[in-house]
Amino acid sequence: MDTLAYLVPLVLLPLSLSFLFFIRKSNSSSSNNPPGTGGWPMVGENIDFALAGPQKFVYDRMKKYSPDVFQTSLLGEKMAVFCGATGNKFLFTNENKLLTSWWPQSMKKALLFPDFVEDSLKEVSALKRSFLHDILKPEALKQYIPLMDSMARDHLEADWSPHDEVKVFPLLKKYTFALACKLFMSVDDPEHVARLAKHFTLVTSGMFSVPIDLPGTAYNGAIKGGKLVRDELLKIIRDRKKEMTENKETAGRDLLSRMLLVTDENGEFMSEMEISNNIIGLLVASYETTSTAVTFVLKYLAELPDVYDEVYR
């Protein structure tokens, strides 16, 4: 009896590994999929991604599979990664044609009100069609420049000038988040912005980690931070609705006010949760990407003094 107890695991272990290998191989061998592999079931290629880092992970697979596109599995989702100029051109020329907005399930759970995720993605398109183009056209952008310049000067004076050495990327994230809060929602109280940023940092630090929701994990922290962000946004949205009811002059002054006024083809207004989801999506889009781009601009200006002198002139 004791011998049998030891033999059963020894027999089942190889069979289980063989079964997992068969699933892995069959999932990655479809002729309709790009070259590559989905990694191990459940785990995917999260471990390889974490160990190698994003840049090396992508370059290694471009070299091994294809310089244009390859398949993988990250954050619990199967996905195709488009690479290089050709891949970027394909993505940007086929929005809402061959491609549509999509969020991994792990990010939805951390960031958004789940009941309104799909509706919110549709509403983003409606927002673009109705007024987002008006907000982003050159004539409208001119109105934002004085505010952006003023906030940049205040930021440099407070966080850069007093120091001989600064860490550029964290400071730029602080500036871009404050700017987004001001432009999207007219929130400019430093303590309020700092509180929102603290919660938002919890989300961005954990939403791209392995989606294991256990106490102490980065992903668990992202879920908690996401709830705090949503609670803060709901309070801002409700205060603005009350303000607009009492004072019509505030209507249309920023993105939040416009979202509260937009209606669908049936004349229905967006719900508070849908508006929150849209604002969170815009905050995510404007946070890391803008900060990273400006950081690299400053890096190259510092490394290329001739270019810096011409820009300064």
Side-chain angles (χ1 to χ4, degrees), residues 146-159 161 175:
L147 173 63
M148 295 166 67
D149 182 68
S150 173
M151 289 186 66
R153 291 174 184 273
D154 291 343
H155 172 73
L156 291 171
E157 184 68 27
D159 295 323
S161 297
Y175 166 70

Side-chain angles (χ1 to χ4, degrees), residues 15-124:
L15 289 174
S16 300
L17 291 175
S18 300
F19 179 67
L20 291 174
F21 179 78
F22 173 77
I23 294 175
R24 181 187 181 194
K25 185 176 181 180
S26 63
N27 285 342
S28 61
S29 61
S30 173
S31 60
N32 293 325
N33 292 332
T37 175
W40 291 99
M42 302 293 290
V43 178
E45 294 199 290
N46 288 305
I47 296 175
D48 291 344
F49 183 83
L51 293 176
Q55 187 169 344
K56 188 175 187 304
F57 179 86
V58 172
Y59 283 162
D60 287 349
R61 279 147 187 78
M62 287 175 64
K63 184 177 180 180
K64 183 176 181 180
Y65 298 118
S66 167
D68 299 316
V69 61
F70 62 87
Q71 67 164 301
T72 183
S73 177
L74 297 171
L75 305 176
E77 301 280 355
K78 294 180 181 178
M79 59 184 69
V81 179
F82 290 86
C83 314
T86 304
N88 279 281
K89 182 178 180 181
F90 174 78
L91 290 174
F92 286 113
T93 56
N94 286 286
E95 184 179 7
N96 295 324
K97 299 175 185 176
L98 300 176
L99 303 164
T100 187
S101 299
W102 166 81
W103 291 58
Q105 191 62 40
S106 57
M107 289 181 64
K108 293 178 187 178
K109 185 176 179 181
L111 278 169
L112 307 175
F113 286 104
D115 295 343
F116 296 92
V117 170
E118 299 305 326
D119 289 339
S120 294
L121 294 177
K122 294 175 184 176
E123 289 293 349
V124 168

